[in-house]
Amino acid sequence: MRNKLFKLVSILMIAMFVLAAAPAPAVYAAPAKADKVKITWWHISTKDPALSDWKKMADDYMKAHPNVEIEITVLENEAFKTKLTTVMQSGEVPDIFQSWGGAGLSEQIDAGLLKDITADLDANNGEWRKTFAPAALAVFAKDGKNYGVPWDMGAVTWWYNKDLFAKAKIDKEPATWSEFLADVKKLKDAGITPISVGEGHTWTGMHIWSYLATRIGGEKAFKAALDRSGSFADPAFVKAGEELKKLIDMKPFQEGFLSATHDEMQATFGNGEAAMELGGQWSPSVQAANSKDKKGVKNLGMFGFPAVEGGAGDGSDVVGGGNGFAIGKNASPEAIDFVKYLTNKDNQTIIAASGTGIPVVAGAEAGLKDPNMKMVQKTFASAKYFQLYYDQFLPSLVGGAINDNVQKLFAGTASPEEVAKAIEASAAENITKK
Amino acid sequence: MQSFPTSPNVSKNPRPPLLSRKTKDGLGIALFLAPALILFVLFLIYPIIRSVYYSTFNWNGLGPATKYIGINNYIKILSDKVFMQAVQNVLVIIVCSLAIQLPLAMLLAVLVGRDLPGRGIFRTIFFLPYVLSEVNAAIMWMLLFNANPQRGLINGVLVALGLPAVAWLADMRVVLFAIFITLTWKYFGFHMLLYLTGLQNIPTEIEEAARMDGANAFQNFFYITLPLLSSPIRTSVYMSVLGSIQQFIVVWIMTGGGPVNASETMATYMYRFGFVRFQLGYGSAVTIIMFILCVIFSLIYQQLTKKPDYLTGL
């Protein structure tokens, strides 16, 4: 009898285990109000003031529109990317979410996950479209159609330590590449490390190469390489490598730059151990945060990437990038209206005033308080041609190939021709001809 | 059934049982196995089959996989110099682990397992790095290896001793060595613990007998202790090799596989080209290659170490 009982109990236990493992039937609460519209919004501003600013904007909007419920999900940068990839596979896209434009956005468009908002931008004679800086808006467009809007856009520029420049007796910012190289030599002769770079994160050095390519080949060379009428092995890109090699051969970087992370690069610059660094709008705050005294360089200066003599690119052309919101395929008209509200002049001014971003809506730049950010904003606004970061703009495999191969230049394991050819090989395979 | 009195009355012709004894036993076994089997299939077998499936596609992870390319991913991986470099790096790590890390762990196990005064404290200290998370260990060593003598402790000491500073993680010839130091520091405690438990199972009588017969300490170690430790040694070699093949976190944090792939392992290669660059089909193919390598190693290793253990007969 005991045995039978034991068997029975065992079977019962197993049944319980299996039943417990099975998902419980979902019980959905009936919607409180039948006509309430829900908007899902994912952003990556995990810290104040941006965190509360966004929250307040959502609360204000909900107050003005009682029929709208906004559900905000705040995620840290890397967690966001992981989670987004997962939900994208299931096709459950948030209505509004963080985007950096470029190839990542393009892949989402091709997978049919985003909503075409061109008509919304053009409504009322292009009322909404006209508020944006065109170059910034174009970052979130593909083939003339818009799938998102920017809320922050900046430029990569040289940041420098004015005191160290004075110590090396450099009295003006270099306007040309040869002046720049001459200044590097002066700094070296004065016993100062001229440049801080973090090739452990390959994109930091890649920007020097991509800027040289932009200055030498201009918009034309890059567009040709993109539509495959030209190539990344064209003379302009080889020349960019040669010019970069000239700089590298001068040994202008800090000790151990090949493995230094972006934070270490910022720390070296912030501690005054190197005179310059090439970085985006985040550089002033990040170098200060990573420096020993948390204040960073006392006399910080900035100049745009110098023009290369004889290059096809204009000295004002800018390589940069920023943040925006992509619109998911299931977004309701209310969601689009909310994005319109988020990027209106008043809210853009708030973003500018709190230092969260560099505004992309005309008039909002008045909110900028930080002189460094004002300089970046001016550089961006005066650009004749704006190029999104190469590794963001190009398909991730090609962007990765550029980062990997330019690093070989820094390590001295490949020649400029080899680098250009390797990048072209990846481009030929991964960029489809239109 | 012992509670049922066996009835001597056979004429009563009992009802034939619903299920035969054999089916009943089979059913019992199946029921008991079911939960574990379901989990095993769901979380192990199914993902492997899925990975094999995806590895035949050019797929970026967005939407369903549609671009079927057969074994092209595998051809590309095996003809990629970077992957071959990763395989070579893994082999170097395996060889170094077996030749340096495990003997070191053995030495320390013998030291702290026996009569060293304060051995409890030493045991704890040696085991501590293993308790620390891999991420913490990697970041800590990254800071120690900093190329700038002002910030990196190791270089600071070298410079103070009048030696030149070494760009540990930035020098393509040194970086793998630096990674190996970190791995050794992180894992020797674990192997030491395996050996320690083995040492405790060795009856002291055997060693005493050997000593009585005039064996010195070295003979005692090589002819008595070492052979009797064959079981934990087998386990630790196995774990060490598989761990090396799959090594990811420490390398990814300290160098990201760089500079210029000098410290790339198969796992960092898989992560970089599979996930970071949105080539999930390609990444799946890399994991399948890693999986096959691990299986081949396991099978060969089992064949090689078939000889039973002296103590347990296992």
Side-chain angles (χ1 to χ4, degrees):
Chain A
M1 204 63 206
R2 220 186 316 144
N3 215 332
K4 263 214 168 138
L5 193 71
F6 177 70
K7 264 190 186 165
L8 191 76
V9 170
S10 309
I11 289 167
L12 251 168
M13 297 278 276
I14 291 166
M16 269 164 67
F17 177 84
V18 172
L19 282 178
V27 182
Y28 292 110
K33 279 174 204 150
D35 55 349
K36 197 138 186 170
V37 184
K38 197 163 148 190
I39 299 173
T40 49
W41 176 24
W42 290 13
H43 71 70
I44 57 165
S45 308
T46 51
K47 286 187 188 131
D48 271 336
L51 182 64
S52 332
D53 284 347
W54 292 131
K55 172 111 185 27
K56 187 170 180 305
M57 288 176 203
D59 288 344
D60 289 350
Y61 187 86
M62 280 191 279
K63 224 175 271 167
H65 304 79
N67 64 325
V68 172
E69 189 193 333
I70 300 165
E71 190 188 280
I72 306 179
T73 307
V74 186
L75 292 158
E76 181 277 329
N77 196 353
E78 293 306 313
F80 164 78
K81 287 180 187 165
T82 314
K83 192 163 178 191
L84 190 72
T85 313
T86 316
V87 296
M88 290 257 164
Q89 279 167 35
S90 66
E92 292 289 315
V93 197
D95 297 334
I96 305 164
F97 60 95
Q98 165 69 27
S99 175
W100 296 270
L105 185 89
S106 171
E107 276 161 15
Q108 290 160 5
I109 294 168
D110 291 343
L113 297 163
L114 300 187
K115 196 184 187 91
D116 178 359
I117 56 163
T118 317
D120 300 279
L121 281 158
D122 288 333
N124 294 333
N125 213 0
E127 186 187 34
W128 190 20
R129 180 183 294 280
K130 279 177 192 156
T131 62
F132 289 109
L137 190 60
V139 168
F140 302 91
K142 191 184 182 185
D143 303 332
K145 285 179 188 155
N146 298 77
Y147 298 87
V149 293
W151 58 265
D152 158 63
M153 202 56 64
V156 172
T157 56
W158 285 104
W159 298 93
Y160 73 100
N161 187 322
K162 284 184 176 166
D163 295 338
L164 291 181
F165 264 48
K167 215 170 134 192
K169 306 208 167 50
I170 302 168
D171 43 19
K172 70 177 184 50
E173 292 160 355
T176 65
W177 182 244
S178 43
E179 279 176 39
F180 181 83
L181 293 180
D183 287 347
V184 167
K185 182 150 192 322
K186 273 187 208 166
L187 285 161
K188 271 213 79 135
D189 290 345
I192 298 161
T193 303
I195 299 170
S196 175
V197 74
E199 269 297 285
H201 289 166
T202 48
W203 56 268
T204 58
M206 181 277 299
H207 280 320
I208 306 181
W209 182 86
S210 70
Y211 243 126
L212 281 168
T214 310
R215 290 284 183 266
I216 293 165
E219 184 176 9
K220 227 176 95 196
F222 187 67
K223 287 272 143 72
L226 261 192
D227 67 19
R228 302 277 83 203
S229 63
S231 107
F232 281 102
D234 283 349
F237 296 99
V238 178
K239 182 98 193 305
E242 283 165 357
E243 292 300 328
L244 175 57
K245 194 165 180 310
K246 267 191 210 168
L247 176 68
I248 293 166
D249 287 344
M250 295 171 83
K251 301 201 186 316
F253 310 115
Q254 81 274 27
E255 270 306 307
F257 66 91
L258 265 183
S259 70
T261 61
H262 175 247
D263 276 354
E264 284 165 4
M265 149 185 158
Q266 297 283 357
T268 305
F269 180 70
N271 288 336
E273 292 159 11
M276 293 185 270
E277 66 170 14
L278 187 67
Q281 60 269 34
W282 59 85
S283 290
S285 57
V286 181
Q287 58 94 12
N290 281 288
S291 66
K292 272 183 206 146
D293 58 4
K294 304 283 162 211
K295 287 191 191 106
V297 176
K298 213 192 286 162
N299 283 311
L300 189 65
M302 188 210 91
F303 56 88
F305 199 94
V308 176
E309 293 88 341
D314 193 272
S316 74
D317 293 348
V318 158
V319 174
N323 298 289
F325 291 127
I327 312 296
K329 63 173 179 183
N330 302 321
S332 56
E334 282 82 0
I336 293 168
D337 189 62
F338 175 58
V339 171
K340 209 188 243 178
Y341 170 78
L342 276 179
T343 54
N344 70 17
K345 196 178 139 193
D346 293 343
N347 283 329
Q348 275 274 286
T349 310
I350 293 173
I351 292 300
S354 65
T356 303
I358 297 173
V360 290
V361 166
E365 70 273 5
L368 282 173
K369 285 179 194 140
D370 184 341
N372 294 319
M373 293 305 108
K374 279 184 194 161
M375 285 196 284
V376 176
Q377 200 274 333
K378 265 193 206 131
T379 310
F380 170 79
S382 62
K384 289 203 187 87
Y385 157 58
F386 175 81
Q387 175 56 52
L388 183 65
Y389 315 128
Y390 275 19
D391 59 345
Q392 182 71 42
F393 183 80
L394 295 164
S396 40
L397 270 177
V398 183
I402 293 181
N403 288 344
D404 285 357
N405 284 291
V406 172
Q407 191 193 29
K408 288 183 188 163
L409 266 184
F410 279 89
T413 58
S415 71
E417 293 82 32
E418 286 164 350
V419 169
K421 272 188 194 140
I423 293 169
E424 172 55 23
S426 174
E429 198 183 332
N430 297 300
I431 299 178
T432 38
K433 219 169 179 170
K434 286 213 183 93
Chain B
M1 296 281 159
Q2 73 273 32
S3 57
F4 281 96
T6 33
S7 164
N9 191 353
V10 276
S11 66
K12 237 178 138 185
N13 193 18
R15 224 163 9 116
L18 202 62
L19 298 166
S20 78
R21 175 82 193 235
K22 224 176 160 188
T23 349
K24 250 194 214 162
D25 283 355
L27 198 69
I29 292 170
L31 274 171
F32 276 106
L33 264 181
L37 201 65
I38 288 169
L39 293 179
F40 182 74
V41 169
L42 201 65
F43 292 109
L44 212 78
I45 306 292
Y46 175 70
I48 291 172
I49 293 170
R50 225 32 208 178
S51 288
V52 173
Y53 171 75
Y54 283 135
S55 74
T56 59
F57 285 86
N58 179 0
W59 181 51
N60 67 2
L62 299 177
T66 47
K67 275 183 249 162
Y68 178 77
I69 53 166
I71 58 164
N72 271 0
N73 277 334
Y74 292 93
I75 295 171
K76 237 164 102 186
I77 293 166
L78 294 176
S79 58
D80 187 355
K81 275 189 209 140
V82 177
F83 183 73
M84 284 307 153
Q85 164 103 55
V87 173
Q88 189 193 322
N89 289 344
V90 167
L91 288 177
V92 169
I93 292 176
I94 290 176
V95 170
C96 286
S97 299
L98 300 187
I100 301 169
Q101 188 182 340
L102 300 193
L104 178 78
M106 173 67 77
L107 179 74
L108 290 171
V110 172
L111 279 180
V112 303
R114 292 292 154 88
D115 12 68
L116 190 79
R119 53 186 176 272
I121 298 169
F122 282 111
R123 263 185 225 176
T124 315
I125 291 175
F126 291 153
F127 190 65
L128 267 182
Y130 185 70
V131 180
L132 207 65
S133 91
E134 280 176 312
V135 177
N136 288 349
I139 290 175
M140 191 186 90
W141 279 93
M142 200 170 108
L143 297 174
L144 289 175
F145 278 131
N146 194 312
N148 185 341
Q150 309 267 307
R151 268 178 270 152
L153 178 70
I154 296 174
N155 274 336
V157 171
L158 285 179
V159 168
L161 292 173
L163 296 165
V166 181
W168 295 99
L169 300 176
D171 190 325
M172 292 169 65
R173 290 158 304 175
V174 187
V175 62
L176 205 57
F177 177 67
I179 297 266
F180 176 69
I181 291 179
T182 310
L183 291 175
T184 302
W185 180 86
K186 178 79 180 68
Y187 293 111
F188 81 93
F190 171 72
H191 296 291
M192 186 193 76
L193 196 76
L194 282 178
Y195 300 148
L196 271 178
T197 45
L199 278 175
Q200 273 161 11
N201 287 335
I202 299 176
T204 41
E205 292 90 342
I206 305 180
E207 286 177 351
E208 257 165 41
R211 224 171 291 143
M212 299 283 256
D213 289 342
N216 64 26
F218 280 97
Q219 286 168 328
N220 214 326
F221 176 74
F222 282 106
Y223 295 108
I224 307 286
T225 318
L226 212 53
L228 289 180
L229 278 177
S230 73
S231 178
I233 290 174
R234 267 187 271 167
T235 314
S236 97
V237 168
Y238 186 66
M239 307 274 283
S240 179
V241 172
L242 288 193
S244 302
I245 291 178
Q246 296 166 6
Q247 181 46 240
F248 173 71
I249 298 176
V250 169
V251 176
W252 187 254
I253 289 174
M254 287 181 70
T255 66
V260 196
N261 316 110
S263 61
E264 203 83 62
T265 65
M266 280 186 271
T268 60
Y269 179 88
M270 181 270 286
Y271 188 72
R272 184 197 313 282
F273 290 95
F275 288 89
V276 178
R277 293 183 188 167
F278 295 103
Q279 294 290 300
L280 277 89
Y282 191 78
S284 300
V286 179
T287 55
I288 295 302
I289 291 177
M290 285 170 71
F291 174 70
I292 291 171
L293 285 178
C294 288
V295 170
I296 291 175
F297 167 75
S298 300
L299 292 177
I300 294 176
Y301 192 68
Q302 269 183 353
Q303 283 300 316
L304 285 180
T305 56
K306 255 187 171 167
K307 215 166 71 171
D309 187 38
Y310 290 97
L311 277 180
T312 57
L314 289 170

